Amino acid sequence: MSEKEIKAKTETPMLDELKTGPWPSFVADLERYSEKKPAVGQLLGQLEQSYEDRWNYWQGTVLNVDGYGGGVIARYSELGEQYPDIAQFHTIRVIPPPGWVYSTEKLRELCDIWEKHSAGIMQLHGMTGDILLLGTDNKTTFEAAEELMEKGWDLGGSGPALRTLACCVGEARCEAACFDTMALTKHLTDNYISELHRPELPYKYKFKLSGCANDCAASMQRSDMPVIGTWRGAMQINQDEVGKFIDDKGIEFVIDNVLTRCPTNCISLKGKTIDVDNDNCVRCMHCINVMHRALKPGKDRGATILIGGKRTLKIGDTMSSVLVPFMPLKTEEDFTKLTDLIDSIWEFWGDNGLEHERIGEFIARVGLGTFLEGIGLEPDPQMINQPRTSPYIKFEELTGSKIDGEPEHNPAVSNEEGEMAEKAI
Ligand code: SF4
Ligand code: SF4
């Protein structure tokens, strides 16, 4: 930035432009709020200056509440002289309830604490999934954190640590859910609260949990370890509802919007009934989304555990690889199997990862084979994008009736005993 004299803005013509669209405007909201909190008016003034100069006037640093190694995103204004009320303008990350389901009482409590100690701006929710509370200074950050904790709230993660978890609403409100996303989010948060509060990993590590392949938590784009609900065996079909759907929408609609859009062409019509070739269904959820009364995920439900997701990493958009094709997630014992896996990943990555190297970048550097050996997991064909056409997959015939019989095996999800027709080499 070239040296020039900057004065506090009294007019904000560029921000005013943002009020003219047909959608709700954050500028109009903040202007209204600035009548109560002058700091918010100064915030808009600095933003106008940033637009004019195309320059970010915030400087970041670290500010820790006692006993925590993260959770506060400290920001200092370079224009503190012009805008003294926002010279320090920090953000506190707070862990939200799983699935972002609040009571109005808790929301009011949060608003009251925030209005008392800060500029009173809240963001629900940040990219991490946290509740973001904006606008404290060096003193009120501690006062606000104290009060939040007294009322049972806790600070979220930041820095090279486990980050605050996020999940879709799952079984609480969604019939498509294949596991209880909220229960697992709570379990992992409780189990790893120390790793969340005290950075001790090579870099950040995020979990996002979606109850099915619709992936409403955008776990593959947003996390290092997506957990996505799926099922084994046959999809549930209610043929009466299939018939009603066809009567209502017409056969062409079903052909155009269900059959031809199945990615593996594994769904067919026989008169007014539907047949699914479960061995070739990749559990993408498309047909279930369209005909949700007639079709449902199968009864044997669990999740696929993926690794190395997130767009964008330093190595590009990895969007994750399958690590465990199917893991039941119903009991405490199932949850323990998952945490054992996470522990072994963190141990190997912690010992061998570089500073600021996320798990997907680490796997790309050391290779998937080395990584699997390091964490003690057998290679599996489902870890490969197109196992049927990959020369690294060896097909072996299974003994017994597993291939011929109903539907013990499918290419997307192995059965519990891992009785697969393919083998990764
Ligand atoms: Fe429902 Fe699936 Fe979306 Fe979760 S990801 S809310 S289970 S549709
Ligand atoms: Fe096809 Fe299975 Fe996807 Fe339905 S869920 S569209 S049957 S792959």
Side-chain angles (χ1 to χ4, degrees), residues 168-170 174 176-178 210-217:
C168 78
V169 75
C174 184
C178 293
S210 285
C212 75
N214 284 327
D215 197 7
C216 295

Side-chain angles (χ1 to χ4, degrees), residues 230-259:
T230 191
W231 68 94
R232 293 184 293 195
M235 182 188 294
Q236 299 184 73
I237 305 174
N238 181 331
Q239 299 292 6
D240 290 341
E241 289 293 342
V242 172
K244 283 187 205 160
F245 188 88
I246 294 171
D247 289 342
D248 183 32
K249 298 279 185 186
I251 206 99
E252 284 80 15
F253 182 92
V254 177
I255 292 169
D256 290 350
N257 293 283
V258 181
L259 269 62

Side-chain angles (χ1 to χ4, degrees), residues 30 38-44 46 58-59 63 72-77 83-92 114 118-121 133-138 140-141:
L30 291 181
V40 176
Q42 296 191 12
L43 187 70
L44 290 170
Q46 178 172 315
W58 294 114
Q59 280 192 354
L63 184 71
V72 180
I73 316 299
R75 289 287 176 271
Y76 294 91
S77 171
Y83 302 108
D85 291 353
I86 58 164
Q88 298 154 5
F89 202 81
H90 311 318
T91 297
I92 300 185
W114 209 238
S118 78
I121 302 171
L133 303 173
L134 282 78
T136 45
D137 61 24
N138 288 354
T140 54
T141 296

